[in-house]
Amino acid sequence: MNTGVITFLFVIFGSISAGVATGAIAHYLGNESLAGISSPQENPTTQYIDRKNNDPDQEFSLINEQELLKEINDIKQRHKNSRR
């Protein structure tokens, strides 16, 4: 075989080996760092759900964009005036 081909194969094999070794080390270190951590038993966001108004038959209503923009602009103005 030509020395150029051998060098090329050596570089490719070395690059692949380095990638696999780095991935294995990262996987091992990641597992070790998360060894004592567990996920909560229940979803913490459920405390924010309003269970009284959780009616599946409730009609979907759109927000009036003009009113929303007016409210946002009012808040921005108040914030701008309070900084003076």
Side-chain angles (χ1 to χ4, degrees):
M1 258 202 218
N2 188 354
T3 57
V5 172
I6 293 172
T7 304
F8 173 75
L9 291 174
F10 180 72
V11 169
I12 294 296
F13 179 73
S15 297
I16 292 172
S17 299
V20 169
T22 302
I25 291 169
H27 179 70
Y28 173 76
L29 291 176
N31 278 344
E32 286 296 313
S33 68
L34 297 174
I37 298 174
S38 62
S39 60
Q41 295 299 320
E42 59 184 54
N43 188 351
T45 60
T46 56
Q47 63 184 339
Y48 301 114
I49 297 173
D50 186 11
R51 297 197 188 280
K52 294 176 224 160
N53 294 333
N54 199 7
D55 183 15
D57 296 329
Q58 184 178 6
E59 186 176 321
F60 177 75
S61 63
L62 295 174
I63 299 173
N64 187 346
E65 184 179 1
Q66 294 301 324
E67 289 179 18
L68 182 63
L69 291 174
K70 183 180 180 299
E71 188 175 332
I72 290 171
N73 285 330
D74 290 344
I75 292 170
K76 285 170 54 177
Q77 275 298 353
R78 279 184 288 184
H79 181 68
K80 191 176 183 180
N81 291 338
S82 68
R83 293 175 66 195
R84 290 184 184 174

